[in-house]
Amino acid sequence: MTLVNFAPQWTVCYIILYADDILLISPSVTYTERLLHHCEQELSWLDMNINFKKSCCLRIGPRCDIVCEAVTSSCSRRLPWVSNMRYLGVHFVKSRTLKCSLDADKRGFYRAANSIFGKIGRIASEEVVLQLIKSKCVPVLLYGLEACALNKSQMASLDFVVNRFFMKLFNTNNIDTVKACQEFFSFELPSVELAKRVVKCESKVNTV
């Protein structure tokens, strides 16, 4: 379970459930604790318990750096305040605004790409390697990001990851050469692919 404390101007509490993952969103620490107690009560009626070892609290808003009292469960378990947390594969960080971290996504891309490159990089053709990167590694890099509001710096960091792999594959440090290779092999940068995903996601939401 993850508990998120947003800025005081938020006056509505939310409970978001997906499978066995629960996200509680509230405007204050007091509301967060009350919401947790209500969830505990409901789950006890269903003969279910919260795994407090995997539960934490994250604060988002103008006062995110202020030290808060610990959120305590009905059974006196104290939930720690953390600087980052993962929900449904997306990593969120403590910030003045809702912000996600791309560090884990980039590490996942490098790990998958290096695994492919290490096994077939010098044997298979560039077309085969890039097709595997596109189908196996780029989805790891962009997982769930169509639902996040990324700034220009974050978008550029995603493109940098792919550009660095192209430099390694084609043994060059020239960005113009990298762009020419990407155009020749019709390989879209993550920022372009993500923009398409955002449009597709918004169209699905609007049709619901």
Side-chain angles (χ1 to χ4, degrees):
M1 174 179 286
T2 304
L3 293 81
V4 179
N5 173 221
F6 270 94
Q9 60 264 30
W10 287 60
T11 57
V12 182
C13 298
Y14 293 93
I15 302 178
I16 302 175
L17 302 95
Y18 184 87
D20 61 344
D21 290 318
I22 305 176
L23 177 66
L24 306 181
I25 303 176
S26 66
S28 69
V29 177
T30 301
Y31 276 111
T32 301
E33 192 166 271
R34 290 179 183 175
L35 204 56
L36 173 62
H37 293 171
H38 284 302
C39 284
E40 288 182 281
Q41 186 177 27
E42 291 290 336
L43 290 173
S44 66
W45 290 340
L46 299 173
D47 196 24
M48 299 176 66
N49 295 315
I50 297 174
N51 187 346
F52 288 102
K53 292 183 179 180
K54 296 183 178 180
S55 302
C56 61
C57 301
L58 178 73
R59 197 171 197 195
I60 298 174
R63 294 167 56 83
C64 64
D65 293 325
I66 303 299
V67 178
C68 299
E69 287 292 331
V71 174
T72 307
S73 68
S74 299
C75 56
S76 300
R77 297 290 297 270
R78 296 166 67 88
L79 274 66
W81 289 95
V82 297
S83 58
N84 63 80
M85 62 94 175
R86 187 179 75 167
Y87 184 70
L88 301 182
V90 179
H91 294 258
F92 296 95
V93 296
K94 179 178 67 175
S95 178
R96 296 177 63 86
T97 59
L98 183 61
K99 184 179 181 181
C100 63
S101 172
L102 305 178
D103 293 341
D105 304 275
K106 290 186 284 188
R107 285 196 300 269
F109 175 89
Y110 283 128
R111 185 165 50 248
N114 288 334
S115 177
I116 292 173
F117 191 78
K119 293 179 180 179
I120 66 170
R122 301 305 179 186
I123 302 174
S125 65
E126 288 81 1
E127 291 90 344
V128 172
V129 174
L130 291 176
Q131 182 58 40
L132 288 172
I133 295 297
K134 183 182 296 185
S135 60
K136 300 297 182 181
C137 303
V138 173
V140 174
L141 180 64
L142 300 182
Y143 181 79
L145 296 184
E146 59 267 27
C148 303
L150 303 184
N151 56 38
K152 291 183 179 180
S153 176
Q154 290 176 310
M155 297 289 279
S157 71
L158 293 176
D159 291 344
F160 178 80
V161 170
V162 171
N163 288 335
R164 289 296 301 174
F165 181 80
F166 266 80
M167 290 179 181
K168 180 178 180 179
L169 179 62
F170 293 99
N171 193 26
T172 179
N173 290 322
N174 191 307
I175 189 61
D176 293 329
T177 302
V178 168
K179 291 181 179 179
C181 292
Q182 291 169 351
E183 184 177 357
F184 179 81
F185 289 102
S186 300
F187 195 102
E188 293 182 337
L189 287 172
S191 58
V192 178
E193 175 67 24
L194 186 57
K196 293 181 179 180
R197 290 191 179 197
V198 170
V199 173
K200 185 177 181 180
C201 179
E202 291 177 347
S203 64
K204 287 184 178 181
V205 172
N206 292 332
T207 56
V208 174

